[in-house]
Amino acid sequence: MGEPDIISVNEIDFEYQVLTYSELVPVLVDFWAQWSTSCQRTSAQLETLAQEHTGRFRLAKVEVDNNPILTERYQVHTVPTLKSFQNGLVTHQVEGIRSNLQLVDFVNSIVPGHDNLLLQKAESFLNSNQFKDVEDTCLEVLLETPENAKAKLMLAKALIWQGEYLEALTIINHFPVSVEYQNAEKLKPLVEQLLLKFDQQSEHKNPLDAVYFRTIDLIQRGNIAASLDGLLEILKIDKKYRRGMPKDLILGLFELMGDDHPLVEEYRAKLANTLF
């Protein structure tokens, strides 16, 4: 533990060694316990990654049993828990590492480098609805790091916006274990429904079918607000329609648009009022 990139910290030196130091490079804090075999495996892999990325981030290890104040302050409820700090603030976190791939993906998300710059570029394109540019940039990232979950998630979203539903579903069905996995899963029902071929001229078994088919068409046309209105209308009448699929589609649209989209904030409140 003599290397400056890998240190043990406690409640006395945490502010300097983590918060202040994070103004220079990202600091990844590993909240661990001696009695946890999972922590031991995670710590060993983290130390290897810190050595591979010398100078690009600091690994700071906090033993939870000996540092209860830090454990409580940062709401550590399970071990291992990883939190990254930049400029004194928590930027990313993950609890209960399940695989080495998830660990590598987490480290890659905080380490400054070419891939991260490209991911920032792709995110900027996504926010400005430049979906072909998102696709091209994410593919560039994936040439270097084929299992980059952030790139795969943004690529899937870009493909959905462009109507390339089958390609998006292929990415989602083979999504790597990562912190973005649950985000990708929210998109899956949406893409599956967009791929279905509905015969809107046939006799409907349920009076709500016509409204439902219309919402799918509105999504495909890019009229998201109107489609959300239609899905909420169905839920108000029958929350169990198609086993709750309208709710799944709304959540999928929220994920597709992103938390910062004005429609998400507006319709999240409407969904809560409709369901409860």
Side-chain angles (χ1 to χ4, degrees):
M1 300 296 289
E3 298 183 44
D5 287 342
I6 306 173
I7 62 172
S8 292
V9 296
N10 54 42
E11 290 162 357
I12 297 174
D13 59 4
F14 185 88
E15 181 171 356
Y16 174 74
Q17 297 288 5
V18 174
L19 302 185
T20 301
Y21 200 86
S22 70
E23 296 176 4
L24 302 175
V25 296
V27 179
L28 193 161
V29 178
D30 174 19
F31 291 92
W32 70 288
Q34 287 189 353
W35 42 264
S36 169
T37 55
S38 178
C39 284
Q40 294 170 14
R41 290 193 301 270
T42 298
S43 293
Q45 178 70 0
L46 283 172
E47 290 179 18
T48 298
L49 290 169
Q51 292 165 357
E52 291 176 357
H53 296 285
T54 301
R56 298 174 71 188
F57 78 95
R58 161 175 277 189
L59 173 62
K61 301 165 66 65
V62 175
E63 188 177 357
V64 294
D65 291 335
N66 293 332
N67 297 279
I69 295 176
L70 287 175
T71 301
E72 182 177 357
R73 179 191 303 172
Y74 290 102
Q75 300 181 341
V76 177
H77 304 298
T78 186
V79 290
T81 288
L82 307 181
K83 294 179 185 281
S84 64
F85 290 76
Q86 286 183 276
N87 296 317
L89 300 174
V90 176
T91 57
H92 300 80
Q93 60 185 16
V94 63
E95 297 180 349
I97 297 295
R98 295 182 294 275
S99 71
N100 285 347
L101 272 179
Q102 185 186 17
L103 197 58
V104 170
D105 187 56
F106 183 77
V107 169
N108 286 338
S109 72
I110 70 167
V111 173
H114 181 61
D115 283 356
N116 277 359
L117 291 175
L118 287 175
L119 289 172
Q120 291 176 17
K121 185 178 179 181
E123 187 173 4
S124 177
F125 285 143
L126 189 61
N127 291 336
S128 57
N129 299 332
Q130 296 173 259
F131 303 122
K132 187 63 173 68
D133 290 326
V134 176
E135 181 181 350
D136 292 342
T137 306
C138 288
L139 288 174
E140 186 176 351
V141 173
L142 292 169
L143 280 175
E144 296 295 327
T145 53
E147 293 302 306
N148 190 300
K150 284 190 174 182
K152 286 196 169 191
L153 182 62
M154 285 193 283
L155 176 58
K157 290 182 179 183
L159 291 170
I160 294 169
W161 282 118
Q162 295 177 91
E164 304 291 342
Y165 306 130
L166 185 58
E167 291 83 348
L169 186 60
T170 300
I171 292 171
I172 294 168
N173 282 338
H174 299 87
F175 208 84
V177 176
S178 60
V179 293
E180 289 81 15
Y181 179 83
Q182 293 301 324
N183 303 80
E185 283 293 292
K186 291 178 183 177
L187 294 172
K188 188 173 183 178
L190 174 64
V191 182
E192 289 176 338
Q193 292 301 295
L194 290 170
L195 276 167
L196 292 178
K197 303 296 183 183
F198 294 112
D199 183 2
Q200 299 192 41
Q201 304 302 320
S202 64
E203 182 179 352
H204 303 313
K205 297 180 181 179
N206 188 314
L208 293 176
D209 286 347
V211 180
Y212 184 74
F213 298 154
R214 177 62 177 161
T215 65
I216 300 298
D217 182 63
L218 287 168
I219 295 171
Q220 293 170 335
R221 293 173 182 270
N223 194 340
I224 305 302
S227 67
L228 288 168
D229 287 332
L231 293 166
L232 286 173
E233 179 184 343
I234 294 172
L235 286 174
K236 288 176 183 177
I237 297 171
D238 183 3
K239 293 181 177 62
K240 296 182 179 179
Y241 175 79
R242 290 181 179 252
R243 298 182 179 179
M245 183 57 71
K247 176 188 172 184
D248 291 339
L249 292 187
I250 291 174
L251 295 178
L253 288 170
F254 287 171
E255 178 60 36
L256 183 64
M257 291 185 286
D259 289 337
D260 294 332
H261 196 287
L263 284 179
V264 173
E265 182 177 357
E266 176 185 352
Y267 280 88
R268 199 182 295 280
K270 290 182 179 181
L271 177 61
N273 289 335
T274 299
L275 294 177
F276 305 108

